[in-house]
Amino acid sequence: MAAALERALGPAAPGRGSEAALPPLPVLVLGPAGSGRTSLLLRAALAGGADGPRALFLAPSAVPRLPGGPGGPGTDPRALQRLELRYPRTRLSLCRELLSLSLSPSPSPSLLLVDGLERYLALSPAVPCRHPGLSPAVPSRLAALLLELSRVPRCPQRVPSQVVASLRLPPPAPHVLATLLRFFPARCHLSPARGDRGDSGDSGDSRRGHRGSVRVTLRCPGNAPRRWRLRLGHPGHGDSDSDSDSDSPGDSDGDSPGDSGGEEEWM
């Protein structure tokens, strides 16, 4: 959830409420192509090294490269041992995975990460294009399955999963984002920093050229926004810096000075 992303990103830029504990809310990670959604989810999965939570990463296609490299979060092999990667190719396959996790008597993963919601919601999983005819019930049902795993289970042996999902902007249909935000009260918006248009490690966008940096804004109800600047290369590689730059009108994440909860340009 929000705490899992904050653990992966490190200390936020100093500001009002930046030290307050974040509520345990499901998070929707939003950003355009190449903004680093896949990389951020993998960083969250591996944050904490051997002492981090058991994590399950679901995506419609395999990530091109697992985290690693000198100083990266994947240098500890014990961190990789607690990460499970699965690749349900279609929306039906994903729903079956989620339903199986919900009904299983075995412990659920402590951290559930679902990458590429736009591909599961598109008319064709291989082509995440805009699809105006998509029924509002489709994203609602998928989000409900995800959030079922974040609720306190009836079985005392199980614990709620922290849920983090990513959606590429613009969404595959105009109503998709508004529908998902009803289920995901916390959101994390990624936007390329001015002048950077490099590869930021999104699945499906991994063939683009050079490193770039992104602005990360995490918003939770009742809390002031928290901001970082993240330099990303391939999935799992990158460094996080507290972004102390004040945002100005017209920034791509839609913030204005003093704004504690402005809407992104896609809403």
Side-chain angles (χ1 to χ4, degrees), residues 74-130:
T75 53
D76 186 347
R78 295 172 298 175
L80 292 172
Q81 289 174 0
R82 57 177 179 77
L83 171 62
E84 182 179 1
L85 303 168
R86 299 184 193 173
Y87 301 111
R89 303 285 180 176
T90 66
R91 187 192 313 150
L92 180 59
S93 298
L94 175 63
C95 290
R96 285 174 175 166
E97 287 272 6
L98 298 175
L99 189 58
S100 176
L101 288 170
S102 180
L103 297 177
S104 173
S106 302
S108 298
S110 300
L111 180 59
L112 175 63
L113 306 119
V114 181
D115 192 31
L117 285 183
E118 72 284 347
R119 293 178 64 183
Y120 289 117
L121 295 173
L123 183 62
S124 168
V127 184
C129 60
R130 297 180 67 83

Tab-separated table of all heavy atoms in Angstrom, residues 74-130:
chain	number	residue	atom	x	y	z
A	74	GLY	N	18.109	-5.240	-5.772
A	74	GLY	CA	18.133	-6.659	-6.058
A	74	GLY	C	19.464	-7.329	-5.789
A	74	GLY	O	19.654	-8.483	-6.156
A	75	THR	N	20.424	-6.600	-5.160
A	75	THR	CA	21.731	-7.197	-4.917
A	75	THR	C	21.667	-8.263	-3.835
A	75	THR	O	22.540	-9.119	-3.778
A	75	THR	CB	22.745	-6.124	-4.512
A	75	THR	OG1	22.219	-5.375	-3.406
A	75	THR	CG2	23.014	-5.176	-5.673
A	76	ASP	N	20.682	-8.223	-2.952
A	76	ASP	CA	20.533	-9.228	-1.911
A	76	ASP	C	19.693	-10.374	-2.476
A	76	ASP	O	18.506	-10.203	-2.731
A	76	ASP	CB	19.852	-8.616	-0.689
A	76	ASP	CG	19.804	-9.579	0.495
A	76	ASP	OD1	20.078	-10.780	0.288
A	76	ASP	OD2	19.481	-9.130	1.606
A	77	PRO	N	20.270	-11.551	-2.698
A	77	PRO	CA	19.481	-12.651	-3.272
A	77	PRO	C	18.328	-13.075	-2.391
A	77	PRO	O	17.355	-13.634	-2.874
A	77	PRO	CB	20.515	-13.775	-3.429
A	77	PRO	CG	21.619	-13.429	-2.494
A	77	PRO	CD	21.663	-11.939	-2.444
A	78	ARG	N	18.406	-12.781	-1.090
A	78	ARG	CA	17.303	-13.150	-0.203
A	78	ARG	C	16.064	-12.315	-0.484
A	78	ARG	O	14.950	-12.757	-0.232
A	78	ARG	CB	17.737	-13.003	1.256
A	78	ARG	CG	18.849	-13.965	1.668
A	78	ARG	CD	19.370	-13.639	3.046
A	78	ARG	NE	19.959	-12.303	3.095
A	78	ARG	CZ	20.405	-11.733	4.219
A	78	ARG	NH1	20.337	-12.393	5.366
A	78	ARG	NH2	20.920	-10.521	4.189
A	79	ALA	N	16.269	-11.110	-1.007
A	79	ALA	CA	15.122	-10.289	-1.383
A	79	ALA	C	14.399	-10.895	-2.580
A	79	ALA	O	13.166	-10.900	-2.651
A	79	ALA	CB	15.566	-8.864	-1.686
A	80	LEU	N	15.171	-11.414	-3.542
A	80	LEU	CA	14.563	-12.044	-4.710
A	80	LEU	C	13.835	-13.332	-4.338
A	80	LEU	O	12.857	-13.708	-4.987
A	80	LEU	CB	15.636	-12.332	-5.755
A	80	LEU	CG	16.264	-11.110	-6.429
A	80	LEU	CD1	17.432	-11.530	-7.299
A	80	LEU	CD2	15.233	-10.354	-7.248
A	81	GLN	N	14.284	-14.006	-3.285
A	81	GLN	CA	13.660	-15.266	-2.881
A	81	GLN	C	12.241	-15.078	-2.373
A	81	GLN	O	11.436	-16.009	-2.446
A	81	GLN	CB	14.516	-15.949	-1.809
A	81	GLN	CG	15.826	-16.509	-2.347
A	81	GLN	CD	16.719	-17.053	-1.253
A	81	GLN	OE1	16.368	-17.020	-0.073
A	81	GLN	NE2	17.889	-17.555	-1.632
A	82	ARG	N	11.917	-13.892	-1.885
A	82	ARG	CA	10.558	-13.668	-1.381
A	82	ARG	C	9.652	-12.995	-2.416
A	82	ARG	O	8.512	-12.645	-2.108
A	82	ARG	CB	10.596	-12.853	-0.098
A	82	ARG	CG	11.291	-11.516	-0.232
A	82	ARG	CD	11.247	-10.716	1.055
A	82	ARG	NE	11.951	-9.453	0.910
A	82	ARG	CZ	11.464	-8.402	0.284
A	82	ARG	NH1	10.261	-8.473	-0.272
A	82	ARG	NH2	12.153	-7.290	0.191
A	83	LEU	N	10.165	-12.814	-3.628
A	83	LEU	CA	9.363	-12.241	-4.708
A	83	LEU	C	8.948	-13.331	-5.682
A	83	LEU	O	9.779	-14.078	-6.191
A	83	LEU	CB	10.178	-11.173	-5.453
A	83	LEU	CG	9.567	-10.630	-6.754
A	83	LEU	CD1	8.234	-9.947	-6.486
A	83	LEU	CD2	10.542	-9.677	-7.441
A	84	GLU	N	7.644	-13.434	-5.937
A	84	GLU	CA	7.115	-14.378	-6.931
A	84	GLU	C	6.562	-13.590	-8.105
A	84	GLU	O	5.822	-12.616	-7.922
A	84	GLU	CB	6.029	-15.250	-6.321
A	84	GLU	CG	5.467	-16.281	-7.289
A	84	GLU	CD	4.401	-17.172	-6.674
A	84	GLU	OE1	4.079	-16.975	-5.476
A	84	GLU	OE2	3.887	-18.043	-7.394
A	85	LEU	N	6.928	-14.005	-9.316
A	85	LEU	CA	6.468	-13.355	-10.541
A	85	LEU	C	5.517	-14.279	-11.273
A	85	LEU	O	5.843	-15.442	-11.529
A	85	LEU	CB	7.652	-13.020	-11.452
A	85	LEU	CG	8.761	-12.140	-10.851
A	85	LEU	CD1	9.970	-12.135	-11.753
A	85	LEU	CD2	8.257	-10.733	-10.621
A	86	ARG	N	4.345	-13.782	-11.616
A	86	ARG	CA	3.382	-14.537	-12.422
A	86	ARG	C	2.896	-13.631	-13.543
A	86	ARG	O	2.786	-12.407	-13.373
A	86	ARG	CB	2.190	-15.016	-11.586
A	86	ARG	CG	2.540	-15.966	-10.439
A	86	ARG	CD	1.274	-16.436	-9.752
A	86	ARG	NE	1.538	-17.094	-8.480
A	86	ARG	CZ	0.591	-17.470	-7.615
A	86	ARG	NH1	-0.686	-17.248	-7.908
A	86	ARG	NH2	0.927	-18.044	-6.481
A	87	TYR	N	2.552	-14.255	-14.680
A	87	TYR	CA	2.174	-13.475	-15.853
A	87	TYR	C	0.854	-13.954	-16.449
A	87	TYR	O	0.843	-14.590	-17.504
A	87	TYR	CB	3.293	-13.536	-16.897
A	87	TYR	CG	4.607	-13.018	-16.366
A	87	TYR	CD1	5.681	-13.879	-16.156
A	87	TYR	CD2	4.766	-11.671	-16.044
A	87	TYR	CE1	6.877	-13.405	-15.659
A	87	TYR	CE2	5.959	-11.186	-15.540
A	87	TYR	CZ	7.013	-12.056	-15.352
A	87	TYR	OH	8.200	-11.584	-14.851
A	88	PRO	N	-0.270	-13.662	-15.794
A	88	PRO	CA	-1.564	-13.946	-16.427
A	88	PRO	C	-1.747	-13.055	-17.644
A	88	PRO	O	-1.671	-11.829	-17.552
A	88	PRO	CB	-2.577	-13.623	-15.320
A	88	PRO	CG	-1.863	-12.694	-14.394
A	88	PRO	CD	-0.421	-13.050	-14.456
A	89	ARG	N	-1.988	-13.649	-18.800
A	89	ARG	CA	-1.968	-12.904	-20.063
A	89	ARG	C	-3.250	-12.134	-20.343
A	89	ARG	O	-3.237	-11.140	-21.069
A	89	ARG	CB	-1.713	-13.877	-21.221
A	89	ARG	CG	-0.422	-14.675	-21.090
A	89	ARG	CD	0.782	-13.825	-21.390
A	89	ARG	NE	2.029	-14.573	-21.266
A	89	ARG	CZ	3.220	-14.078	-21.546
A	89	ARG	NH1	3.321	-12.836	-21.967
A	89	ARG	NH2	4.311	-14.801	-21.386
A	90	THR	N	-4.365	-12.604	-19.802
A	90	THR	CA	-5.655	-12.000	-20.126
A	90	THR	C	-6.368	-11.555	-18.854
A	90	THR	O	-5.982	-11.920	-17.742
A	90	THR	CB	-6.544	-13.005	-20.871
A	90	THR	OG1	-6.865	-14.088	-19.989
A	90	THR	CG2	-5.841	-13.543	-22.119
A	91	ARG	N	-7.397	-10.754	-19.046
A	91	ARG	CA	-8.205	-10.307	-17.911
A	91	ARG	C	-8.830	-11.496	-17.184
A	91	ARG	O	-8.853	-11.544	-15.943
A	91	ARG	CB	-9.297	-9.355	-18.392
A	91	ARG	CG	-10.090	-8.706	-17.267
A	91	ARG	CD	-11.327	-8.025	-17.815
A	91	ARG	NE	-11.017	-7.222	-18.989
A	91	ARG	CZ	-11.868	-6.986	-19.978
A	91	ARG	NH1	-13.073	-7.507	-19.967
A	91	ARG	NH2	-11.512	-6.240	-21.001
A	92	LEU	N	-9.307	-12.490	-17.933
A	92	LEU	CA	-9.898	-13.669	-17.309
A	92	LEU	C	-8.863	-14.417	-16.469
A	92	LEU	O	-9.154	-14.846	-15.343
A	92	LEU	CB	-10.490	-14.590	-18.380
A	92	LEU	CG	-11.143	-15.887	-17.880
A	92	LEU	CD1	-12.278	-15.586	-16.916
A	92	LEU	CD2	-11.643	-16.711	-19.065
A	93	SER	N	-7.657	-14.551	-16.996
A	93	SER	CA	-6.600	-15.233	-16.247
A	93	SER	C	-6.250	-14.469	-14.969
A	93	SER	O	-6.027	-15.066	-13.911
A	93	SER	CB	-5.352	-15.393	-17.116
A	93	SER	OG	-5.622	-16.182	-18.246
A	94	LEU	N	-6.206	-13.149	-15.062
A	94	LEU	CA	-5.916	-12.348	-13.876
A	94	LEU	C	-7.019	-12.512	-12.831
A	94	LEU	O	-6.738	-12.682	-11.635
A	94	LEU	CB	-5.775	-10.881	-14.265
A	94	LEU	CG	-5.594	-9.904	-13.102
A	94	LEU	CD1	-4.301	-10.192	-12.340
A	94	LEU	CD2	-5.605	-8.452	-13.600
A	95	CYS	N	-8.273	-12.466	-13.267
A	95	CYS	CA	-9.386	-12.619	-12.328
A	95	CYS	C	-9.347	-13.989	-11.649
A	95	CYS	O	-9.638	-14.112	-10.453
A	95	CYS	CB	-10.720	-12.426	-13.051
A	95	CYS	SG	-11.028	-10.708	-13.558
A	96	ARG	N	-8.968	-15.010	-12.393
A	96	ARG	CA	-8.848	-16.337	-11.796
A	96	ARG	C	-7.740	-16.379	-10.749
A	96	ARG	O	-7.887	-16.992	-9.691
A	96	ARG	CB	-8.586	-17.365	-12.898
A	96	ARG	CG	-9.813	-17.693	-13.735
A	96	ARG	CD	-9.459	-18.594	-14.907
A	96	ARG	NE	-10.655	-19.001	-15.648
A	96	ARG	CZ	-10.615	-19.566	-16.855
A	96	ARG	NH1	-9.440	-19.779	-17.455
A	96	ARG	NH2	-11.743	-19.917	-17.463
A	97	GLU	N	-6.629	-15.719	-11.041
A	97	GLU	CA	-5.535	-15.647	-10.070
A	97	GLU	C	-5.999	-14.961	-8.781
A	97	GLU	O	-5.730	-15.439	-7.668
A	97	GLU	CB	-4.362	-14.862	-10.662
A	97	GLU	CG	-3.578	-15.586	-11.729
A	97	GLU	CD	-2.453	-16.433	-11.152
A	97	GLU	OE1	-2.359	-16.550	-9.907
A	97	GLU	OE2	-1.677	-16.984	-11.947
A	98	LEU	N	-6.677	-13.829	-8.928
A	98	LEU	CA	-7.117	-13.082	-7.760
A	98	LEU	C	-8.162	-13.845	-6.966
A	98	LEU	O	-8.137	-13.858	-5.724
A	98	LEU	CB	-7.669	-11.722	-8.192
A	98	LEU	CG	-6.676	-10.790	-8.897
A	98	LEU	CD1	-7.378	-9.526	-9.372
A	98	LEU	CD2	-5.509	-10.442	-7.977
A	99	LEU	N	-9.080	-14.508	-7.669
A	99	LEU	CA	-10.116	-15.280	-6.978
A	99	LEU	C	-9.491	-16.462	-6.240
A	99	LEU	O	-9.877	-16.780	-5.110
A	99	LEU	CB	-11.152	-15.766	-7.988
A	99	LEU	CG	-12.422	-16.415	-7.417
A	99	LEU	CD1	-13.144	-15.452	-6.488
A	99	LEU	CD2	-13.337	-16.867	-8.541
A	100	SER	N	-8.514	-17.099	-6.860
A	100	SER	CA	-7.831	-18.214	-6.219
A	100	SER	C	-7.111	-17.765	-4.949
A	100	SER	O	-7.156	-18.449	-3.918
A	100	SER	CB	-6.840	-18.847	-7.193
A	100	SER	OG	-6.104	-19.877	-6.581
A	101	LEU	N	-6.464	-16.601	-5.002
A	101	LEU	CA	-5.795	-16.075	-3.816
A	101	LEU	C	-6.796	-15.768	-2.708
A	101	LEU	O	-6.542	-16.025	-1.523
A	101	LEU	CB	-5.025	-14.807	-4.168
A	101	LEU	CG	-3.758	-14.967	-5.006
A	101	LEU	CD1	-3.263	-13.605	-5.465
A	101	LEU	CD2	-2.679	-15.689	-4.220
A	102	SER	N	-7.943	-15.232	-3.098
A	102	SER	CA	-8.958	-14.848	-2.119
A	102	SER	C	-9.560	-16.061	-1.421
A	102	SER	O	-9.870	-16.011	-0.224
A	102	SER	CB	-10.056	-14.030	-2.803
A	102	SER	OG	-11.045	-13.645	-1.895
A	103	LEU	N	-9.740	-17.159	-2.160
A	103	LEU	CA	-10.414	-18.344	-1.607
A	103	LEU	C	-9.443	-19.346	-0.981
A	103	LEU	O	-9.869	-20.247	-0.266
A	103	LEU	CB	-11.210	-19.044	-2.708
A	103	LEU	CG	-12.355	-18.238	-3.328
A	103	LEU	CD1	-13.021	-19.018	-4.453
A	103	LEU	CD2	-13.382	-17.851	-2.265
A	104	SER	N	-8.173	-19.210	-1.251
A	104	SER	CA	-7.204	-20.178	-0.763
A	104	SER	C	-7.049	-20.101	0.750
A	104	SER	O	-6.991	-18.998	1.319
A	104	SER	CB	-5.842	-19.948	-1.423
A	104	SER	OG	-4.866	-20.777	-0.844
A	105	PRO	N	-6.965	-21.259	1.435
A	105	PRO	CA	-6.716	-21.237	2.885
A	105	PRO	C	-5.271	-20.896	3.223
A	105	PRO	O	-4.954	-20.592	4.376
A	105	PRO	CB	-7.055	-22.668	3.304
A	105	PRO	CG	-6.810	-23.501	2.088
A	105	PRO	CD	-7.169	-22.622	0.922
A	106	SER	N	-4.388	-20.944	2.243
A	106	SER	CA	-2.977	-20.620	2.472
A	106	SER	C	-2.806	-19.117	2.673
A	106	SER	O	-3.620	-18.312	2.193
A	106	SER	CB	-2.127	-21.081	1.291
A	106	SER	OG	-2.281	-22.472	1.074
A	107	PRO	N	-1.756	-18.720	3.361
A	107	PRO	CA	-1.524	-17.285	3.569
A	107	PRO	C	-1.358	-16.538	2.250
A	107	PRO	O	-0.674	-17.011	1.338
A	107	PRO	CB	-0.225	-17.258	4.391
A	107	PRO	CG	-0.147	-18.596	5.026
A	107	PRO	CD	-0.776	-19.555	4.061
A	108	SER	N	-1.986	-15.404	2.142
A	108	SER	CA	-1.829	-14.558	0.963
A	108	SER	C	-0.497	-13.826	1.038
A	108	SER	O	0.079	-13.661	2.108
A	108	SER	CB	-2.970	-13.539	0.879
A	108	SER	OG	-4.207	-14.173	0.756
A	109	PRO	N	0.012	-13.352	-0.106
A	109	PRO	CA	1.235	-12.538	-0.059
A	109	PRO	C	0.983	-11.259	0.727
A	109	PRO	O	-0.110	-10.679	0.676
A	109	PRO	CB	1.522	-12.255	-1.528
A	109	PRO	CG	0.217	-12.424	-2.224
A	109	PRO	CD	-0.498	-13.504	-1.486
A	110	SER	N	1.988	-10.828	1.456
A	110	SER	CA	1.841	-9.587	2.225
A	110	SER	C	1.717	-8.376	1.315
A	110	SER	O	1.079	-7.383	1.666
A	110	SER	CB	3.034	-9.413	3.169
A	110	SER	OG	3.126	-10.489	4.069
A	111	LEU	N	2.332	-8.458	0.142
A	111	LEU	CA	2.310	-7.346	-0.810
A	111	LEU	C	1.909	-7.888	-2.175
A	111	LEU	O	2.555	-8.775	-2.714
A	111	LEU	CB	3.688	-6.692	-0.882
A	111	LEU	CG	3.866	-5.499	-1.822
A	111	LEU	CD1	2.914	-4.376	-1.444
A	111	LEU	CD2	5.317	-5.004	-1.785
A	112	LEU	N	0.806	-7.379	-2.718
A	112	LEU	CA	0.309	-7.778	-4.035
A	112	LEU	C	0.461	-6.603	-4.984
A	112	LEU	O	-0.094	-5.527	-4.752
A	112	LEU	CB	-1.156	-8.206	-3.949
A	112	LEU	CG	-1.839	-8.543	-5.275
A	112	LEU	CD1	-1.175	-9.742	-5.941
A	112	LEU	CD2	-3.326	-8.801	-5.066
A	113	LEU	N	1.210	-6.819	-6.076
A	113	LEU	CA	1.455	-5.768	-7.059
A	113	LEU	C	0.936	-6.225	-8.413
A	113	LEU	O	1.290	-7.308	-8.884
A	113	LEU	CB	2.957	-5.471	-7.146
A	113	LEU	CG	3.605	-5.137	-5.800
A	113	LEU	CD1	4.676	-6.164	-5.480
A	113	LEU	CD2	4.180	-3.742	-5.776
A	114	VAL	N	0.082	-5.413	-9.025
A	114	VAL	CA	-0.479	-5.729	-10.341
A	114	VAL	C	-0.082	-4.629	-11.306
A	114	VAL	O	-0.475	-3.470	-11.149
A	114	VAL	CB	-2.015	-5.874	-10.286
A	114	VAL	CG1	-2.551	-6.234	-11.670
A	114	VAL	CG2	-2.416	-6.937	-9.277
A	115	ASP	N	0.708	-4.998	-12.305
A	115	ASP	CA	1.215	-4.032	-13.275
A	115	ASP	C	0.396	-4.100	-14.565
A	115	ASP	O	-0.074	-5.168	-14.960
A	115	ASP	CB	2.686	-4.344	-13.572
A	115	ASP	CG	3.380	-3.236	-14.332
A	115	ASP	OD1	3.000	-2.062	-14.131
A	115	ASP	OD2	4.296	-3.535	-15.105
A	116	GLY	N	0.217	-2.972	-15.214
A	116	GLY	CA	-0.406	-2.954	-16.534
A	116	GLY	C	-1.905	-3.160	-16.547
A	116	GLY	O	-2.423	-3.885	-17.391
A	117	LEU	N	-2.635	-2.484	-15.648
A	117	LEU	CA	-4.103	-2.620	-15.657
A	117	LEU	C	-4.685	-2.217	-17.004
A	117	LEU	O	-5.708	-2.767	-17.433
A	117	LEU	CB	-4.722	-1.765	-14.550
A	117	LEU	CG	-4.600	-2.268	-13.110
A	117	LEU	CD1	-5.338	-1.321	-12.169
A	117	LEU	CD2	-5.136	-3.680	-12.971
A	118	GLU	N	-4.050	-1.248	-17.684
A	118	GLU	CA	-4.602	-0.795	-18.968
A	118	GLU	C	-4.635	-1.927	-19.988
A	118	GLU	O	-5.526	-1.969	-20.844
A	118	GLU	CB	-3.789	0.401	-19.497
A	118	GLU	CG	-2.396	0.082	-20.012
A	118	GLU	CD	-1.377	-0.174	-18.922
A	118	GLU	OE1	-1.683	0.129	-17.747
A	118	GLU	OE2	-0.282	-0.682	-19.243
A	119	ARG	N	-3.697	-2.857	-19.925
A	119	ARG	CA	-3.686	-3.966	-20.873
A	119	ARG	C	-4.747	-5.001	-20.524
A	119	ARG	O	-5.309	-5.652	-21.410
A	119	ARG	CB	-2.298	-4.599	-20.915
A	119	ARG	CG	-1.253	-3.651	-21.496
A	119	ARG	CD	0.134	-4.237	-21.506
A	119	ARG	NE	0.229	-5.411	-22.373
A	119	ARG	CZ	1.322	-6.147	-22.506
A	119	ARG	NH1	2.400	-5.838	-21.798
A	119	ARG	NH2	1.340	-7.191	-23.311
A	120	TYR	N	-5.023	-5.161	-19.254
A	120	TYR	CA	-6.105	-6.071	-18.866
A	120	TYR	C	-7.477	-5.490	-19.184
A	120	TYR	O	-8.440	-6.227	-19.388
A	120	TYR	CB	-6.016	-6.389	-17.375
A	120	TYR	CG	-4.849	-7.273	-17.002
A	120	TYR	CD1	-3.850	-6.823	-16.164
A	120	TYR	CD2	-4.751	-8.565	-17.515
A	120	TYR	CE1	-2.778	-7.627	-15.822
A	120	TYR	CE2	-3.680	-9.381	-17.185
A	120	TYR	CZ	-2.696	-8.914	-16.340
A	120	TYR	OH	-1.626	-9.714	-16.012
A	121	LEU	N	-7.565	-4.162	-19.209
A	121	LEU	CA	-8.852	-3.508	-19.467
A	121	LEU	C	-9.059	-3.169	-20.931
A	121	LEU	O	-10.157	-2.778	-21.326
A	121	LEU	CB	-8.962	-2.230	-18.637
A	121	LEU	CG	-9.000	-2.435	-17.117
A	121	LEU	CD1	-8.924	-1.097	-16.404
A	121	LEU	CD2	-10.248	-3.197	-16.704
A	122	ALA	N	-8.031	-3.296	-21.762
A	122	ALA	CA	-8.165	-2.974	-23.179
A	122	ALA	C	-8.923	-4.071	-23.911
A	122	ALA	O	-9.082	-5.193	-23.416
A	122	ALA	CB	-6.780	-2.776	-23.801
A	123	LEU	N	-9.382	-3.738	-25.115
A	123	LEU	CA	-10.114	-4.712	-25.929
A	123	LEU	C	-9.245	-5.923	-26.219
A	123	LEU	O	-9.697	-7.063	-26.206
A	123	LEU	CB	-10.563	-4.050	-27.235
A	123	LEU	CG	-11.411	-4.908	-28.179
A	123	LEU	CD1	-12.709	-5.303	-27.498
A	123	LEU	CD2	-11.712	-4.150	-29.458
A	124	SER	N	-7.945	-5.680	-26.465
A	124	SER	CA	-6.974	-6.748	-26.687
A	124	SER	C	-5.811	-6.537	-25.736
A	124	SER	O	-5.255	-5.439	-25.677
A	124	SER	CB	-6.452	-6.737	-28.128
A	124	SER	OG	-5.320	-7.582	-28.260
A	125	PRO	N	-5.413	-7.551	-24.934
A	125	PRO	CA	-4.313	-7.375	-23.990
A	125	PRO	C	-3.012	-6.967	-24.668
A	125	PRO	O	-2.162	-6.329	-24.050
A	125	PRO	CB	-4.180	-8.758	-23.336
A	125	PRO	CG	-5.489	-9.428	-23.563
A	125	PRO	CD	-6.007	-8.894	-24.872
A	126	ALA	N	-2.825	-7.316	-25.937
A	126	ALA	CA	-1.578	-6.991	-26.629
A	126	ALA	C	-1.561	-5.561	-27.144
A	126	ALA	O	-0.509	-5.043	-27.504
A	126	ALA	CB	-1.359	-7.961	-27.787
A	127	VAL	N	-2.725	-4.923	-27.192
A	127	VAL	CA	-2.814	-3.567	-27.738
A	127	VAL	C	-3.564	-2.695	-26.737
A	127	VAL	O	-4.796	-2.646	-26.739
A	127	VAL	CB	-3.557	-3.553	-29.098
A	127	VAL	CG1	-3.532	-2.146	-29.689
A	127	VAL	CG2	-2.950	-4.559	-30.056
A	128	PRO	N	-2.835	-1.995	-25.833
A	128	PRO	CA	-3.493	-1.182	-24.819
A	128	PRO	C	-4.011	0.132	-25.379
A	128	PRO	O	-3.626	1.211	-24.961
A	128	PRO	CB	-2.363	-0.957	-23.799
A	128	PRO	CG	-1.126	-0.984	-24.611
A	128	PRO	CD	-1.375	-1.975	-25.725
A	129	CYS	N	-4.904	0.036	-26.367
A	129	CYS	CA	-5.412	1.239	-27.018
A	129	CYS	C	-6.664	1.719	-26.308
A	129	CYS	O	-7.237	1.042	-25.458
A	129	CYS	CB	-5.710	0.943	-28.483
A	129	CYS	SG	-6.946	-0.369	-28.707
A	130	ARG	N	-7.100	2.918	-26.676
A	130	ARG	CA	-8.331	3.454	-26.100
A	130	ARG	C	-9.514	2.658	-26.618
A	130	ARG	O	-9.583	2.296	-27.782
A	130	ARG	CB	-8.466	4.943	-26.459
A	130	ARG	CG	-7.346	5.781	-25.871
A	130	ARG	CD	-7.502	7.241	-26.231
A	130	ARG	NE	-8.676	7.847	-25.593
A	130	ARG	CZ	-8.682	8.316	-24.360
A	130	ARG	NH1	-7.606	8.227	-23.621
A	130	ARG	NH2	-9.753	8.884	-23.850
